[in-house]
Amino acid sequence: MNRSAIVMLIFGSLILYGGLAYFIFQAAKSRHLANKKKKRIF
Amino acid sequence: MPTIRERWSSRSSFVFAAIGSAIGLGNVWRFPYITYQNGGGAFLIPYFVALITAGIPLMILEYYVGQETQRAPPTALKKIWKKSEWIGWFSVCLVFLLSTYYSTIMSWCVNYFYQSFTLGWGSTPEAINNFFNNTLLGKSGSPGILGGIQMPVLIGLAITWISIYLCLFRGVKILGKIVYFTVCIPWLLLIIMVIRGLSLPGAIEGLNFYLTPDFSVLLKPQAWLAAYGQIFYTLSLAMGTLIIYASYQPKDSDITANAFITSLANCGTAFLAGFAVFSTLGYLAQSMGVSVPEVTKSGLGLAFVTYPTAINLLPVASRFFGAFFFLLLLTLGIDSAFSEVEPVVGSIVDKWGLKKKWVLPLVCIFGFLVGILYSTRGGFYWVDLADHFICNYGITLVGLLECIVIGYVFGARKARSCINEVSDVRIGPWWDVFIKFITPIVLGVSFIMQLIKLIQNGYGNYPIWTIFTGMGFIVLLLILSVILSRRKGVSDE
């Protein structure tokens, strides 16, 4: 593969899969915090 | 007595259902081609800009409308602004028609899946072309000549509608479990297809065509319009699906992160599909001794002619990978197909308080009956015409009207503060700007440009009366939507 195609491959992957991983992590973190809160209440 | 609203069994069920609805056949046969056609890797820049400025804001808006009102599109929009119920009905009418031809395309996939076990589509490119156009579709040559019904297409159509019914009839709790399979199986198949594609000779040449950037396209408005168009249709926006799915979420569920996950997962799948498609096209070009652009096609031609040609040329396990590819299309398509039926059923149930167990089979039977038109020898042309008029004019108009209702009548700022109250990731005033200005302007420009193009050049080589029929039908649906919104429902009593 030529160099410019590889750059675009990295650019696309970083935004799409990096962004996806970040928001999944955020969702998992908020779920973890919500579970912790519940435990404290009961 | 108010009925208890159905609920997704978990947040991930909802997210998977929304991803399944967004990921469809277009991810495989449209995105890679549009990328290649509009500057290769450089197209990713307008594509991401469109995603951030229109796709995600509109998805957040639809999730908010559904979740806040806990209603299907017409009654949801009515709760937002009393006079906007017809917009919801318009989107429901459009998505119902969309489901009728989408299920026909699924029926073609069913037939190809069956043929893949024997490679029954023929061995040469000419034979495959003949199989698709004459044996399967029996093309009559004009939309005016319907000819007889093509039995294999009709059988495939019946199988598709039965599958849609079986996925939906137990309600969203079971649907939430089905979507894990209909989303994860295509991902798995896609990864296998990518690995297989990359291992073929000539694959790298194909990928170079897919990703090598031509930055000069960034100065061309067509590339930007193509990016916005692709984002708009790929995310199932303005079809009512996202509103009805979000209405099954509890009112205090997160909105923003869900919207980001859904859209990024959808676009990530399309990006990955490009590797499967272009590596195989690279191999096909090398095998046939031609250049990659010569074998590169979009849409139906890619899926039903080019890809089977490449499958035939595979050195080992061609039947196996043929079945894999069409199973991939079937699993990609089925969750989009039932997500197009759910808003129709949900809207009728919400408006008139009817039982879902009666409404669903009636909608499926009616959808199948309409689909008979597309199973005729002239059906192919009607699929093409319906797709053009519904997507380019109908759905674009709904998206534009939704932005106006929320952005100006209800108030973008008010909506944003409600969204931020329940979401972990907070959105800033940029969202108001996108909903009030950027998205409506882009949709408005796209609508007007398509209309001007239609008036100047017509559509394809179709006769003028088909253009009048298509536009007349859109107007008829608008009138029907207004009539439906004026009918009394249970919520009015």
Side-chain angles (χ1 to χ4, degrees):
Chain A
M1 252 168 104
N2 61 48
R3 197 177 292 170
S4 54
I6 292 172
V7 170
M8 293 322 286
L9 164 68
I10 295 167
F11 168 69
S13 304
L14 264 180
I15 292 196
L16 290 173
Y17 306 119
L20 184 60
Y22 170 77
F23 283 103
I24 290 173
F25 172 72
Q26 286 291 330
K29 205 170 77 178
S30 79
R31 190 179 165 189
H32 178 71
L33 285 173
N35 285 344
K36 242 184 171 178
K37 248 187 198 171
K38 263 185 205 166
K39 270 182 195 166
R40 247 183 245 159
I41 293 165
F42 299 107
Chain B
M1 202 178 82
T3 50
I4 299 163
R5 193 153 188 87
E6 285 186 281
R7 289 271 176 253
W8 296 105
S9 50
S10 64
R11 179 182 179 177
S12 53
S13 296
F14 163 68
V15 172
F16 268 82
I19 292 172
S21 162
I23 300 173
L25 304 174
N27 289 55
V28 173
W29 71 40
R30 197 159 185 263
F31 172 79
Y33 180 76
I34 287 187
T35 306
Y36 154 76
Q37 214 183 21
N38 292 284
F43 180 72
L44 292 176
I45 294 167
Y47 186 69
F48 291 149
V49 171
L51 178 68
I52 303 292
T53 58
I56 294 173
L58 208 52
M59 185 173 274
I60 291 174
L61 181 148
E62 293 210 340
Y63 279 174
Y64 166 69
V65 171
Q67 199 169 295
E68 180 63 26
T69 59
Q70 300 280 298
R71 287 285 175 270
T75 29
L77 285 167
K78 190 184 176 185
K79 272 191 159 187
I80 299 283
W81 183 41
K82 218 179 168 191
K83 288 177 181 169
S84 64
E85 188 185 339
W86 66 274
I87 302 170
W89 281 115
F90 187 45
S91 78
V92 166
C93 293
L94 290 168
V95 82
F96 173 72
L97 282 183
L98 204 154
S99 74
T100 59
Y101 74 78
Y102 198 87
S103 53
T104 309
I105 298 172
M106 293 279 294
S107 148
W108 302 344
C109 295
V110 170
N111 278 282
Y112 266 77
F113 177 66
Y114 174 71
Q115 295 293 340
S116 62
F117 293 101
T118 54
L119 297 181
W121 47 62
S123 52
T124 60
E126 293 74 31
I128 297 168
N129 213 13
N130 182 50
F131 173 79
F132 179 60
N133 291 313
N134 301 324
T135 315
L136 181 65
L137 302 180
K139 280 185 187 173
S140 62
S142 160
I145 307 164
L146 288 182
I149 290 170
Q150 291 293 104
M151 277 322 278
V153 180
L154 194 70
I155 293 166
L157 189 67
I159 292 170
T160 308
W161 277 105
I162 290 167
S163 310
I164 293 171
Y165 173 77
L166 291 176
C167 289
L168 292 176
F169 91 106
R170 295 289 297 272
V172 291
K173 277 238 154 48
I174 299 298
L175 187 65
K177 291 185 172 50
I178 294 170
V179 289
Y180 287 119
F181 293 98
T182 55
V183 172
C184 293
I185 291 173
W187 277 342
L188 191 72
L189 293 174
L190 200 55
I191 290 167
I192 295 170
M193 298 293 291
V194 170
I195 294 168
R196 181 69 187 116
L198 291 177
S199 66
L200 293 168
I204 300 300
E205 190 54 27
L207 294 186
N208 278 334
F209 273 92
Y210 175 41
L211 287 174
T212 303
D214 168 16
F215 289 106
S216 67
V217 296
L218 298 180
L219 299 172
K220 293 179 185 164
Q222 282 87 351
W224 289 88
L225 277 175
Y228 275 93
Q230 175 62 18
I231 281 293
F232 191 67
Y233 302 122
T234 191
L235 294 175
S236 294
L237 298 168
M239 295 181 189
T241 303
L242 300 178
I243 295 180
I244 187 91
Y245 275 6
S247 77
Y248 299 134
Q249 280 270 80
K251 267 190 162 187
D252 58 351
S253 307
D254 188 289
I255 292 175
T256 315
N258 285 352
F260 272 94
I261 293 172
T262 312
S263 16
L264 289 169
N266 170 70
C267 297
T269 308
F271 188 57
L272 186 67
F275 289 87
V277 169
F278 272 88
S279 57
T280 312
L281 290 181
Y283 169 68
L284 179 64
Q286 198 184 70
S287 308
M288 293 170 75
V290 294
S291 66
V292 177
E294 281 179 66
V295 292
T296 306
K297 282 179 187 165
S298 168
L300 305 173
L302 173 77
F304 298 114
V305 180
T306 311
Y307 224 90
T309 311
I311 287 164
N312 279 351
L313 293 171
L314 287 178
V316 283
S318 51
R319 289 171 194 203
F320 178 71
F321 281 100
F324 246 51
F325 178 70
F326 288 104
L327 185 63
L328 167 70
L329 291 188
L330 284 172
T331 47
L332 276 177
I334 190 68
D335 36 17
S336 301
F338 62 64
S339 78
E340 288 156 9
V341 177
E342 183 64 26
V344 185
V345 176
S347 300
I348 296 169
V349 169
D350 277 359
K351 170 95 181 181
W352 290 290
L354 301 171
K355 290 243 183 298
K356 197 174 179 177
K357 66 175 180 182
W358 297 116
V359 177
L360 176 65
L362 286 175
V363 169
C364 289
I365 291 167
F366 189 49
F368 172 73
L369 292 176
V370 175
I372 293 175
L373 168 73
Y374 306 117
S375 311
T376 59
R377 295 178 60 209
F380 173 84
Y381 308 107
W382 287 106
V383 168
D384 189 27
L385 284 164
D387 183 55
H388 179 75
F389 284 99
I390 289 171
C391 291
N392 290 321
Y393 307 103
I395 290 175
T396 310
L397 196 60
V398 173
L400 181 67
L401 293 167
E402 273 182 4
C403 288
I404 291 169
V405 169
I406 295 291
Y408 294 95
V409 182
F410 183 74
R413 201 171 166 182
K414 193 169 142 195
R416 177 162 57 87
S417 76
C418 297
I419 293 163
N420 281 339
E421 244 173 62
V422 294
S423 300
D424 293 319
V425 181
R426 295 170 69 83
I427 47 171
W430 55 266
W431 186 78
D432 307 6
V433 177
F434 292 153
I435 288 299
K436 284 174 86 168
F437 305 107
I438 309 286
T439 314
I441 288 171
V442 171
L443 291 176
V445 168
S446 163
F447 182 85
I448 292 166
M449 281 184 73
Q450 290 284 354
L451 206 61
I452 292 171
K453 213 167 124 188
L454 185 77
I455 293 165
Q456 284 177 341
N457 310 323
Y459 174 59
N461 295 321
Y462 291 107
I464 192 77
W465 65 266
T466 56
I467 311 297
F468 282 112
T469 310
M471 284 318 264
F473 217 77
I474 296 289
V475 175
L476 208 68
L477 289 183
L478 271 168
I479 296 167
L480 180 68
S481 311
V482 174
I483 293 170
L484 285 169
S485 68
R486 297 221 167 167
R487 302 276 299 181
K488 265 201 163 182
V490 279
S491 54
D492 306 310
E493 283 159 12

